[in-house]
Amino acid sequence: MAQATQLVPQEFSDGAVFDTVIIGAGPAGLFATYYSGFREMKTVVLDALPEPGGQLAVLYPEKTVFDCPGFPQILARDLVTSLVEQAKRYAPTFLLGERADDLRKGEDGLFSIVTDKHVLKTKSVIITAGVGSFSPNKLDIKNQEIYEGNGIYYFVKQKEFFRGKNLLIVGGGDSAVDWALNLKEVVKSIVLIHRRDQFRAHEQSVKELYNSPGITVRTFTELKQVDGDGTTLKSALIFENRSKKEEMIPVDCILINIGFKANLGPIANWGLAMENRAIKINGRMETNIPGVFAAGDIASPTESVKLNLIATGFAQAALAVNVAKKYVDPKAQLFPGHSSEKSA
Ligand SMILES: Cc1cc2nc3c(=O)[nH]c(=O)nc-3n(C[C@H](O)[C@H](O)[C@H](O)COP(=O)(O)OP(=O)(O)OC[C@H]3O[C@@H](n4cnc5c(N)ncnc54)[C@H](O)[C@@H]3O)c2cc1C
């Protein structure tokens, strides 16, 4: 997995009591991490994935984001790098590759976040776990297990990796179509197969797909089998699903973009009030458990609309941290003051 940025390993002591533990290092969690440092809160941010960035780092690192305030356009990967840089300002503890499995509240009012490596004691918790941990949908094709990660891929980490390759893309949604358009200048050839003739991707993108001379689009077509010499993928057996006619085509790489399964995992069992697989929050980002807050895609506001956007997550993160600060230290101001008025 490509590193969005290098993180300096942090010393971690099991006996520490934190002001807040932030669960999930996607954009909402990273901005919450900056903000809690700004509010002088002793902070841990943890993520089940080995790198920060959430959906941006895993699902679309090389896509351009156009609706992030302050950046007319920015690659998702570069946005993550900046967010991590900002989050590190007040030296929080990053625990990556560590999943929060349990949340308990003790008699002393402190929360325990239990991971597979630590029990983190904290005065408050901010859940920014997005859609949970996610895994790509897979096909049931012959020889898949031999070439997975070595010819068969589910994510594009670096476009350059595909340079000069004969690429087969499977799927008809935005990811499949966008990657075909994004990779067409880099690869030697692209065949995109889709099991129907209706695409879920944006109309404009589908139009561009059909008008791209370097891309062959085959509808009503599915992948049946892959073959190679045991280490290198060499061909794919595809078939027309109405006539059942099969064809072997030479390929170096296959990109399977047929969606992903999101799994909230243990969070659903923490006693939090949920709605449509998201945690209910009020206008103060409070969940039904006092001291536990939520922001970003995982949050379902009962007093406002739910919009799964990076910008929404940033605003909710700032609100959650400021309300958490007041929860941890009732004498503190809710209003944080302006960062521009603080000394560097
Ligand atoms: C293809 C695509 C393109 C998009 N383009 C845009 C766009 O252009 N503009 C825009 O505003 N939005 C866009 N979005 C939506 C945007 O990515 C999300 O709204 C945003 O990522 C939500 O941020 P988040 O921090 O709430 O959650 P996420 O990014 O999902 O991050 C949550 C993190 O929490 C971690 N986690 C989950 N459970 C646990 C656990 N138990 N323990 C530890 N860690 C855990 C996950 O591993 C993950 O890293 C796009 C989404 C997709 C899929």
Side-chain angles (χ1 to χ4, degrees), residues 21-30 45-49 54-55 99-100 125-134 262-268 270 272 274 277-279 293-299:
V21 170
I22 295 168
I23 300 173
L30 288 171
V45 53
L46 64 107
D47 202 295
L49 293 169
Q55 294 173 50
R99 190 176 83 157
V125 180
I126 299 174
I127 304 176
T128 47
V131 286
S133 46
F134 33 80
N263 185 358
L264 268 192
I267 295 172
W270 291 353
L272 292 155
M274 311 281 295
R277 299 167 41 78
I279 301 168
F293 305 83
D297 278 13
I298 193 134

Side-chain angles (χ1 to χ4, degrees), residues 53 69 79 90 97 110 157-158 166 168 179 213 276 334:
L79 180 56
Y90 299 102
L110 293 178
K157 289 295 169 188
Q158 285 174 315
N166 293 305
L168 172 68
W179 279 124
N276 296 330
L334 180 64

